[in-house]
Amino acid sequence: MKHPLLDSLAAPAEAGRTDAPLKHFHLEVDAEGRAWICFDMAGAAANVWNEATLREFNRCLDQVVHHGGVKTLVIRSAKERVFIAGADLKMLRRATASRLESLIDLGQATFNRLAALPMTKVALIHGACLGGGLELALACDVRIASDSEHTRLGLPETQIGLIPAWGGSTRLPKLLGLSKALELIVTGKLLKPDEARRAGLVNAVAPREHLEKKAGETHAGPHPRPRLLDRLLAPWMAGRARAAIMTKTRGLYPAPLRAVEVATRAPFATASRAMEMERHAILDLALTPETERLIDFFFRKEEAGKKPWPQGVAIPVHDVTVIGAGVMGSGIAHWTASRGCRVLMQDISTESLAKGLGRIHELLREGVKRRSISSREMREVLDRLVPEHQRVPLLHQQIIIEAATEDMALKKRIFADLAARSSPDSILATNTSALSVAELAAVVPHPERVIGLHFFNPVHRMPLVEVIITKHTSDDVLATTVSLVQRLGKVPVVVKDSPGFIVNRILVPYLMEAVHLHESGVPAELIDEAMVSFGLPMGPLRLLDEIGLDVAAHVGRTLEEAFPGRFVRPGMIEELIDAGRLGRKTGAGFYQHPLPVRRKASWTEADMHLMERVRERLGGLLADEARRVHEEGVARSAEDIEMAMTLGTGYPVTRRLLAGAAG
């Protein structure tokens, strides 16, 4: 029976009309009694759920029910890379509270109706199956995924401040068990096809061209039901999950906590009560400032990671040379080869080259061990990577990325050599964290082809790349470089050539002031705890140990020279460097490494008061320097500065860094 809510939400022109042409779906019933619903959202690259598509999907279900002879319902997508990408976030962002409530009710009613149909329901999943897309698949009896690299499955709602509320928070724990479901819902982790099969999320994995055949061969298992042990352990699991979330986020992001509350209770409630829990939670979260900022940030990140640069012509890049096989050079070479480019990694030192290759092999082996890549994919990456210690010609290389030590004289010699060995059309890029790109460009013919690419360490984990331009950099070079960064799966933020660019420029005074505070007698643990509770993933002194005190001192010297009197390095930094205490890489810095497992500290009232003063002081320094960067026009917008700081340092999205930023 059709849910009455579906009629009440239908547009007047469509209410009661089952004969109007389908706009977003194709429906056919074959001679074997199988109904095929194909989602192909008109005029869009991806399928998403909104009121129009949900209503039309219900019309498809009406026709399936009225047909009478359907034994199996198969749902698939016509899109090349997307099954269903979830709900239309732009619509959610604009919706009033009442309209949002209607949409949640409509989605719940739709998927509950699908689940209740007296026939076998099969989801053929090729491409991204996210959020409301996976919630539809969970309402089916059988889920079959393609083995494509584009296929990913998950419920990422908590990453934008929401929870799965179209049945996902109820059905996933029943299917996978509470422990695994909590992990996926709280983290928003996306699973590859084989990972999803091992977890029990999909019944089978097959090549895309075999999905239809597999649909007839795969049978539904028992109807998922809540597990008795999960019911008994739910309070304990909820407490453990909440404690882990609070340790990581300090409560700045409420969605994961609400997700735990719903996912540990809804599977054991009646169907109507479970839907009510999901609905109340998402409505409470949806209109909060935190969620609004998370959704806005999501849109900005997506645009930066996909939208072509508006000026110039981007040339597809297939061949990349990386000069230097150190930590950064090998990291860039590994990641670039992993994303399909042919990479020549060159270093005049055979010892450095061997160590760099060793780091790449270790990263790939770790990926195989974690099952994030296969052994075949590891071999393919290595096949695309060519090590070289000779000064070979580089005439056919499209882009050459220099990743040598942060020494201007050395980099100038390398750039002069690269200019002699490469084509005038080859893009020359420098991976520098603070040095002047314009000064480097001055030593080569055709300075318009020189650009900066500041990757962050570790390259395979950090999503941000600062793309640094000089007054000479051509539009075509910028467009091509931005396109390459996007192909690598990174988020480019374009900045003007200025000491420290965005992230290090803002970060250095904050880090140096933290050391000054420590010199004055404030314990390192208290300083770091203050800024973790502020929302940063790591305190400043621990971060200095991770960066390396020698590296931080070098960046500090660059900024000190560029802005005399403004960036004063504390003496403690030099004392630790002189003592060989460079941080984690030497086993000691501000802390001894590896860090011992510490019990949760008990802070006194005086400690808490001091932490608040530390937060005000250090948080204020971050905001002040960000304001200067914005006023100097280093970045295109306040939003770009905030995005760079969030992606480059973990600055919390929920805190305003600049008053001029949107949201």
Side-chain angles (χ1 to χ4, degrees):
M1 179 179 294
K2 191 173 179 181
H3 195 287
L5 179 65
L6 303 175
D7 286 327
S8 67
L9 288 177
E14 290 186 295
R17 289 187 61 186
T18 59
D19 57 340
L22 295 173
K23 182 179 179 182
H24 305 294
F25 293 88
H26 308 293
L27 171 63
E28 59 183 42
V29 180
D30 64 24
E32 298 177 6
R34 289 179 299 187
W36 300 80
I37 295 178
C38 183
F39 196 172
D40 189 9
M41 191 170 184
N47 297 322
V48 296
W49 292 121
N50 55 32
E51 290 187 20
T53 54
L54 284 168
R55 283 198 297 265
E56 193 169 296
F57 181 71
N58 271 281
R59 288 175 50 209
C60 291
L61 297 184
D62 287 341
Q63 294 181 37
V64 169
V65 171
H66 294 156
H67 187 277
V70 175
K71 300 175 182 177
T72 303
L73 170 59
V74 183
I75 303 170
R76 57 185 174 176
S77 164
K79 304 300 184 185
E80 281 300 311
R81 297 190 175 189
V82 177
F83 175 65
I84 303 171
D88 183 347
L89 287 182
K90 291 182 179 178
M91 175 201 61
L92 288 179
R93 182 69 176 83
R94 296 189 301 264
T96 62
S98 60
R99 203 61 190 165
L100 180 61
E101 184 172 9
S102 296
L103 182 70
I104 299 304
D105 288 344
L106 175 58
Q108 288 186 348
T110 300
F111 297 159
N112 287 343
R113 180 190 184 195
L114 174 65
L117 289 178
M119 61 192 70
T120 301
K121 285 84 63 180
V122 181
L124 297 185
I125 301 166
H126 170 71
C129 178
L130 310 177
L134 184 55
E135 289 182 290
L136 171 127
L138 289 170
C140 294
D141 305 300
V142 176
R143 289 159 295 281
I144 304 172
S146 78
D147 61 4
S148 167
E149 63 177 7
H150 303 303
T151 298
R152 295 289 185 274
L153 300 94
L155 296 171
E157 285 88 344
T158 58
Q159 305 306 295
I160 53 170
L162 303 172
I163 72 160
W166 283 339
S169 296
T170 302
R171 292 189 174 99
L172 192 66
K174 291 181 180 180
L175 179 67
L176 303 187
L178 188 53
S179 178
K180 185 64 178 178
L182 271 178
E183 177 191 348
L184 295 179
I185 292 172
V186 169
T187 65
K189 180 181 179 181
L190 305 184
L191 299 182
K192 292 183 176 181
D194 284 337
E195 291 177 309
R197 179 182 52 78
R198 287 192 296 269
L201 185 55
V202 299
N203 302 77
V205 175
R208 184 185 186 186
E209 58 270 21
H210 296 162
L211 288 182
E212 293 183 12
K213 179 183 177 184
K214 201 74 175 174
E217 300 173 350
T218 307
H219 303 288
H223 187 71
R225 296 183 181 279
R227 305 173 189 191
L228 177 59
L229 187 60
D230 281 350
R231 186 189 297 269
L232 295 174
L233 294 179
W236 176 78
M237 289 188 188
R240 187 178 65 168
R242 280 194 294 268
I245 292 166
M246 290 301 295
T247 298
K248 185 175 181 180
T249 71
R250 305 305 172 103
L252 290 175
Y253 301 93
L257 294 171
R258 289 303 297 270
V260 169
E261 175 189 336
V262 175
T264 54
R265 295 173 58 204
F268 315 111
T270 63
S272 60
R273 176 60 180 149
M275 294 301 103
E276 184 181 354
M277 290 181 195
E278 291 190 3
R279 180 170 58 252
H280 284 171
I282 196 170
L283 291 175
D284 286 346
L285 292 166
L287 301 179
T288 63
E290 293 86 358
T291 297
E292 291 178 1
R293 284 185 61 76
L294 284 165
I295 293 177
D296 288 344
F297 178 79
F298 170 82
F299 284 134
R300 292 201 299 271
K301 181 183 174 185
E302 285 287 296
E303 181 179 19
K306 294 179 180 178
K307 188 176 180 181
W309 189 252
Q311 288 88 37
V313 177
I315 300 171
V317 173
H318 306 290
D319 295 279
V320 175
T321 294
V322 177
I323 305 297
V327 172
M328 291 305 298
S330 60
I332 294 168
H334 155 255
W335 191 253
T336 305
S338 296
R339 305 299 286 198
C341 292
R342 294 182 293 270
V343 180
L344 174 68
M345 182 172 71
Q346 183 182 31
D347 198 302
I348 59 173
S349 167
T350 54
E351 182 181 356
S352 295
L353 203 58
K355 288 181 178 179
L357 285 171
R359 280 188 289 268
I360 292 172
H361 276 267
E362 184 59 31
L363 286 169
L364 292 170
R365 282 193 293 267
E366 286 178 7
V368 173
K369 185 177 179 180
R370 294 194 315 270
R371 295 179 172 176
S372 60
I373 62 171
S374 65
S375 297
R376 176 180 57 82
E377 289 170 324
M378 175 178 174
R379 290 191 298 271
E380 289 174 349
V381 171
L382 293 173
D383 287 343
R384 289 191 288 269
L385 182 65
V386 177
E388 179 57 68
H389 71 278
Q390 301 287 345
R391 288 183 66 257
V392 296
L394 302 173
L395 294 172
H396 301 295
Q397 294 296 304
Q398 295 170 285
I399 182 167
I400 303 167
I401 303 173
E402 167 272 315
T405 306
E406 287 283 275
D407 180 286
M408 179 59 80
L410 173 63
K411 286 180 180 285
K412 283 182 176 180
R413 290 197 298 272
I414 292 173
F415 259 62
D417 175 64
L418 293 176
R421 288 194 283 147
S422 63
S423 161
D425 296 326
S426 298
I427 297 172
L428 301 182
T430 176
N431 178 63
T432 177
S433 57
L435 297 179
S436 170
V437 178
E439 190 173 339
L440 273 177
V443 305
V444 302
H446 309 289
E448 67 277 1
R449 61 180 171 147
V450 175
I451 198 163
L453 278 179
H454 180 203
F455 288 84
F456 288 74
N457 188 31
V459 175
H460 64 288
R461 291 181 182 168
M462 297 297 287
L464 175 67
V465 176
E466 290 178 318
V467 180
I468 304 106
I469 57 173
T470 73
K471 62 181 181 180
H472 299 296
T473 306
S474 76
D475 288 339
D476 290 351
V477 166
L478 177 55
T480 299
T481 306
V482 166
S483 176
L484 173 63
V485 172
Q486 292 169 335
R487 178 182 172 181
L488 298 181
K490 304 296 185 183
V491 179
V493 173
V494 177
V495 300
K496 291 181 181 178
D497 186 25
S498 177
F501 316 126
I502 295 177
V503 173
N504 283 334
R505 165 76 181 276
I506 295 171
L507 204 57
V508 165
Y510 157 81
L511 294 175
M512 296 302 105
E513 181 62 18
V515 180
H516 282 303
L517 288 173
H518 186 39
E519 278 183 323
S520 70
V522 182
E525 292 85 353
L526 188 147
I527 294 170
D528 283 348
E529 174 64 22
M531 298 316 293
V532 170
S533 65
F534 179 84
L536 290 164
M538 188 180 294
L541 301 179
R542 169 79 186 281
L543 179 58
L544 280 166
D545 272 6
E546 293 294 322
I547 293 170
L549 272 63
D550 53 337
V551 175
H554 172 78
V555 177
R557 280 192 291 272
T558 301
L559 291 175
E560 206 171 353
E561 292 169 2
F563 304 97
R566 287 214 33 241
F567 295 87
V568 181
R569 281 175 296 125
M572 180 178 278
I573 290 272
E574 300 300 335
E575 292 170 7
L576 290 171
I577 292 173
D578 291 342
R581 296 169 62 99
L582 305 183
R584 185 167 64 89
K585 61 187 174 185
T586 61
F590 290 100
Y591 296 95
Q592 293 294 325
H593 298 271
L595 292 171
V597 178
R598 290 191 176 96
R599 294 182 179 179
K600 188 175 181 180
S602 298
W603 302 105
T604 66
E605 186 175 340
D607 291 334
M608 300 299 289
H609 179 66
L610 182 55
M611 279 188 205
E612 183 57 36
R613 290 168 56 194
V614 168
R615 280 191 292 270
E616 290 176 0
R617 175 62 182 157
L618 297 183
L621 278 175
L622 290 170
D624 287 345
E625 203 60 37
R627 176 180 50 78
R628 290 189 181 97
V629 169
H630 183 41
E631 290 173 351
E632 292 169 17
V634 175
R636 292 185 301 162
S637 65
E639 290 82 3
D640 275 3
I641 295 171
E642 285 201 337
M643 182 162 61
M645 287 299 292
T646 295
L647 298 178
T649 72
Y651 190 89
V653 177
T654 54
R655 287 192 184 274
R656 297 284 295 273
L657 181 62
L658 281 159

